[in-house]
Amino acid sequence: MEDPKQRLIFALDVSSRKEAERYVDELDGVVDFFKVGIILHTVTGGGFVEQLIKQGKRVFLDLKFYDIPETVRDAVRQTALLGADFITVHAQRQVMEAAVDGKKDSPLKVFAVTLLTSMDASDTSAGKSSEEIVLERAKLALECGCDGVVASGREAGIIKEATKGNLLVICPGIRPAGTSPERHKRTVTPSDAIKAGADYLVVGRPIKEAVSPRLTAQKIIEEIYTAINPL
Ligand code: C5P
């Protein structure tokens, strides 16, 4: 996957369909991959996902499922039928196994959330470091048959190493140099995340709140290109 454009996912964290459509239009031809999360999905339901797919866009449905196995299995099955590309679930054995079962042989990829980038080890009661928690969950995700994990760019390298490159890694908490980390505790630049082994970058506010979202997305794609093709 050497096309840098395919590695950028824009988080459509907006609360109306109109606003989402405005960003999709503004980024047309630059960003092809969109993350629909719990805010937008609550407002628009699957209809907006279908619309994006009809427009030829790729969709990462980030609903972070966590429920009894039967419910997760059916929800993932419906996501596959909708035609979304990626779905997220919590990194808990029963949940991940049910999700993998639900996607069957569809092209939908199941990603497990390791540790939110707004959290670090002090936010968990396990008495383990963030790295230990993330690695433990990544290994379990692989064992359960997940396609990948969502993790901070700081952990992408150790995940790739520990799972021998058998898990895809999506990294949120990306901040181009000079931008505010907001509430994330573990941010990295686009370039550092790619060099560490990230397959996909999820970027929300740095693009959304930029004077020119289109230009900012283009710059991030250039940065990804340079990280993949060092001089
Ligand atoms: O605006 P920002 O670039 O911080 O957006 C990050 C996005 O990534 C948000 O949509 C958030 O829900 C998501 N996220 C995630 N997993 C994490 C951290 C953030 O899916 N560990």
Side-chain angles (χ1 to χ4, degrees):
M1 190 189 42
E2 285 315 307
D3 181 1
K5 191 171 141 189
Q6 293 306 320
R7 298 174 72 157
L8 175 63
I9 304 172
F10 173 56
L12 276 170
D13 291 331
V14 293
S15 43
S16 80
R17 189 173 186 137
K18 215 169 162 186
E19 210 183 337
E21 286 170 346
R22 207 161 43 74
Y23 280 110
V24 174
D25 285 350
E26 158 136 31
L27 295 168
D28 188 43
V30 177
V31 176
D32 277 347
F33 213 150
F34 294 90
K35 182 169 91 77
V36 175
I38 53 176
I39 308 171
L40 189 58
H41 195 71
T42 303
V43 180
T44 63
F48 184 66
V49 173
E50 280 177 325
Q51 180 182 321
L52 283 174
I53 294 166
K54 273 197 198 121
Q55 286 176 269
K57 314 293 183 195
R58 301 182 73 197
V59 177
F60 170 13
L61 195 51
D62 183 23
L63 303 181
K64 299 183 176 71
F65 291 146
Y66 184 82
D67 212 314
I68 58 169
E70 292 73 15
T71 306
V72 171
R73 190 177 305 119
D74 288 350
V76 171
R77 189 166 298 149
Q78 292 307 320
T79 308
L81 289 174
L82 208 54
D85 295 271
F86 295 174
I87 184 78
T88 43
V89 299
H90 280 250
Q92 195 272 340
R93 182 183 286 279
Q94 280 193 346
V95 171
M96 292 190 285
E97 284 176 350
V100 171
D101 190 23
K103 78 162 194 168
K104 289 239 159 44
D105 42 17
S106 75
L108 176 70
K109 289 194 181 348
V110 173
F111 288 82
V113 176
T114 55
L115 185 63
L116 297 175
T117 43
S118 55
M119 298 172 91
D120 57 23
S122 65
D123 296 301
T124 70
S125 54
K128 295 175 182 166
S129 69
S130 334
E131 265 189 28
E132 283 172 319
I133 297 167
V134 168
L135 270 188
E136 208 172 88
R137 292 179 183 169
K139 285 180 192 163
L140 186 61
L142 184 64
E143 206 181 299
C144 293
C146 289
D147 299 280
V149 289
V150 181
S152 154
R154 296 193 189 188
E155 283 116 23
I158 54 165
I159 292 172
K160 285 284 179 183
E161 199 184 312
T163 58
K164 300 188 171 59
N166 285 312
L167 274 183
L168 292 167
V169 180
I170 300 179
C171 295
I174 301 294
R175 290 295 175 268
T179 52
S180 150
E182 277 105 10
R183 292 181 70 83
H184 293 296
K185 291 188 177 165
R186 297 171 297 125
T187 63
V188 296
T189 64
S191 170
D192 286 346
I194 293 289
K195 285 181 192 156
D199 296 285
Y200 299 92
L201 307 184
V202 166
V203 184
R205 286 162 292 182
I207 292 178
K208 193 177 115 180
E209 289 164 10
V211 177
S212 168
R214 193 176 172 86
L215 211 64
T216 305
Q218 270 163 344
K219 277 193 192 147
I220 295 172
I221 292 168
E222 278 164 28
E223 197 174 324
I224 296 173
Y225 176 84
T226 312
I228 311 172
N229 304 288
L231 293 174

